[in-house]
Amino acid sequence: MSIDQTDKRIIKRLQGDLPLVPRPFAAVARELGIQEQEVIDRVADLAASGVMRRFGATLRHQQSGFAANVMVAWRVPPADIDRVGQALAAYRQVSHCYHRQADPRFPYNLYSMVHGKSRDECRQVVADMAAEVGIDDYELLFSEQELKKTSMSYF
Amino acid sequence: MDELDKAILRQVQSKLPIDAHPYARVGQKLGLSEEAVIERLERMKKSGVVRRIGGNFVSTRLGFASTLCAAAVPEDKFEAFVAAVNAHPGVTHNYRRAHEFNVWFTFIAESMEEIEANLQRLRQQTGVKDILSLPSQKMFKIKVDFPV
């Protein structure tokens, strides 16, 4: 879908925090000077077309029982990327899985975020994954500190 | 958090109904009033379980470029480097990780050239030479819901 100026104004508003009121789209519509139904229709289109990948409440996972996470960087032969990527993505503990362009200084080309209740649990899951996909060249990058976490402000 | 709070979170984590009365719709499913849903969400926002309620967008679908960056930052430069990186509005996530490449951040901008130019400026400004850009070639999974 193509994004027009009204969509951009709605996206700009939705990337922030919506008021917790019975009719949040009416509140947005008032702020932007358009009709509530038009806001609802446009937001529904943004969701249906995949431009908006989710709509709802963002949780702080540290407070929802998933205390540990590890980014695992895998070095996978190019011909095996799809097979391994799909196998890793199938794990419920994996939230993100991307094939990335490697760098000679860090020659890993597949990245997965693994979540668990503890670092040991993360390690165990990663060991299971490694055995399943048959890749033993990987790096565990445990997060030690959140330095910044925000949502992008587009437009 | 009690079981009802958790049931609400499961409903609103990524599929808050796009409807004139989204919280009434959630309440219908759980046998709660609209007011009760709003009141409980308000409490979970105050306690910090809920960070915000809104939308997340696919940067590339909006015409933006994005990448994951990794930097090997010596301890004596760490604080200044993190401050310089975080000052960029296009840096949305930044984590210290236990590795020689110890600072990992995402960078979104209008083009990859703009990102590269910013990374080059960061290298000059901070003296940290090893800043890698690892752009995505293919997405296998992005999941944002957490079991509650």
Side-chain angles (χ1 to χ4, degrees), chain A residues 59, chain B residues 1-13 23 26-44 49-50 148:
Chain A
L59 307 188
Chain B
M1 272 207 297
D2 63 16
E3 287 309 311
L4 269 178
D5 288 335
K6 291 181 184 175
I8 291 171
L9 291 182
R10 282 192 286 268
Q11 295 290 327
V12 304
Q13 258 203 86
Y23 304 109
V26 170
Q28 277 162 18
K29 286 194 183 165
L30 302 174
L32 289 169
S33 69
E34 181 178 51
E35 301 73 56
V37 173
I38 290 175
E39 204 185 286
R40 282 171 176 269
L41 279 170
E42 229 155 45
R43 219 182 325 116
M44 289 187 273
V49 175
V50 172
V148 283

Side-chain angles (χ1 to χ4, degrees), chain B residues 118-137:
Chain B
N118 278 310
L119 295 181
Q120 196 47 40
R121 230 171 328 207
L122 275 171
R123 289 183 190 102
Q124 288 158 358
Q125 190 188 340
T126 63
V128 174
K129 298 283 174 253
D130 281 327
I131 309 178
L132 316 181
S133 171
L134 310 161
S136 154
Q137 313 276 86

Side-chain angles (χ1 to χ4, degrees), chain A residues 14-18 51 53-58 60 89 95 97 99-100 105 144-145 147-148 150, chain B residues 12-14 45 48 51-56 58 61 86 92 94 96 130 134 137-138 140-141 143-144:
Chain A
L14 258 53
Q15 70 200 0
D17 195 16
L18 289 177
V51 171
R53 60 179 171 80
R54 62 183 286 274
F55 179 66
T58 305
R60 287 192 176 84
S95 62
C97 185
H99 168 33
R100 295 187 175 280
R105 290 166 286 177
E144 297 192 305
Q145 196 188 351
L147 302 169
K148 184 174 187 182
T150 181
Chain B
V12 304
Q13 258 203 86
S14 61
K45 262 180 120 165
R51 196 155 61 95
R52 94 186 160 97
I53 296 172
N56 285 77
V58 179
R61 295 289 300 274
N86 286 358
T92 57
N94 189 359
R96 181 179 188 131
D130 281 327
L134 310 161
Q137 313 276 86
K138 182 168 182 177
F140 290 104
K141 185 177 195 178
K143 184 184 83 159
V144 278

Side-chain angles (χ1 to χ4, degrees), chain A residues 6 21 34 43 49 51 53-54 63 74-75 87-88 91 99 102 104 109 116 120 130-131 137 143 148 151:
Chain A
T6 305
V21 294
I34 46 184
V43 173
S49 65
V51 171
R53 60 179 171 80
R54 62 183 286 274
Q63 295 181 39
W74 308 80
R75 191 173 186 175
L88 298 182
Y91 279 78
H99 168 33
N109 54 357
D120 279 345
D137 191 356
S143 72
K148 184 174 187 182
S151 299

Side-chain angles (χ1 to χ4, degrees), chain A residues 41-96:
Chain A
D41 291 344
R42 283 175 179 267
V43 173
D45 284 348
L46 289 168
S49 65
V51 171
M52 184 171 75
R53 60 179 171 80
R54 62 183 286 274
F55 179 66
T58 305
L59 307 188
R60 287 192 176 84
H61 11 127
Q62 275 77 3
Q63 295 181 39
S64 60
F66 274 72
N69 74 76
V70 63
M71 186 169 75
V72 190
W74 308 80
R75 191 173 186 175
V76 181
D80 291 334
I81 282 280
D82 280 350
R83 174 184 68 81
V84 176
Q86 283 160 13
L88 298 182
Y91 279 78
R92 64 177 176 81
Q93 296 92 339
V94 170
S95 62
H96 299 66

Side-chain angles (χ1 to χ4, degrees), chain A:
Chain A
M1 76 180 274
S2 64
I3 307 286
D4 68 14
Q5 288 306 315
T6 305
D7 291 321
K8 287 186 182 179
R9 293 174 66 218
I10 291 173
I11 290 167
K12 197 173 159 69
R13 184 61 190 85
L14 258 53
Q15 70 200 0
D17 195 16
L18 289 177
L20 202 39
V21 294
R23 290 170 66 179
F25 296 110
V28 169
R30 263 194 312 277
E31 284 175 37
L32 302 182
I34 46 184
Q35 293 297 309
E36 179 185 21
Q37 192 56 49
E38 185 178 353
V39 174
I40 292 172
D41 291 344
R42 283 175 179 267
V43 173
D45 284 348
L46 289 168
S49 65
V51 171
M52 184 171 75
R53 60 179 171 80
R54 62 183 286 274
F55 179 66
T58 305
L59 307 188
R60 287 192 176 84
H61 11 127
Q62 275 77 3
Q63 295 181 39
S64 60
F66 274 72
N69 74 76
V70 63
M71 186 169 75
V72 190
W74 308 80
R75 191 173 186 175
V76 181
D80 291 334
I81 282 280
D82 280 350
R83 174 184 68 81
V84 176
Q86 283 160 13
L88 298 182
Y91 279 78
R92 64 177 176 81
Q93 296 92 339
V94 170
S95 62
H96 299 66
C97 185
Y98 284 84
H99 168 33
R100 295 187 175 280
Q101 191 180 300
D103 186 287
R105 290 166 286 177
F106 194 78
Y108 299 86
N109 54 357
L110 189 65
Y111 291 75
S112 59
M113 281 299 312
V114 177
H115 300 260
K117 291 186 177 18
S118 65
R119 286 190 170 196
D120 279 345
E121 193 181 293
C122 291
R123 278 192 197 93
Q124 188 54 56
V125 173
V126 174
D128 291 347
M129 293 168 131
E132 187 197 323
V133 299
I135 302 289
D136 58 9
D137 191 356
Y138 61 86
E139 289 273 347
L140 293 171
L141 297 134
F142 282 101
S143 72
E144 297 192 305
Q145 196 188 351
E146 182 182 291
L147 302 169
K148 184 174 187 182
K149 187 166 186 182
T150 181
S151 299
M152 179 61 185
S153 297
Y154 299 102
F155 312 124

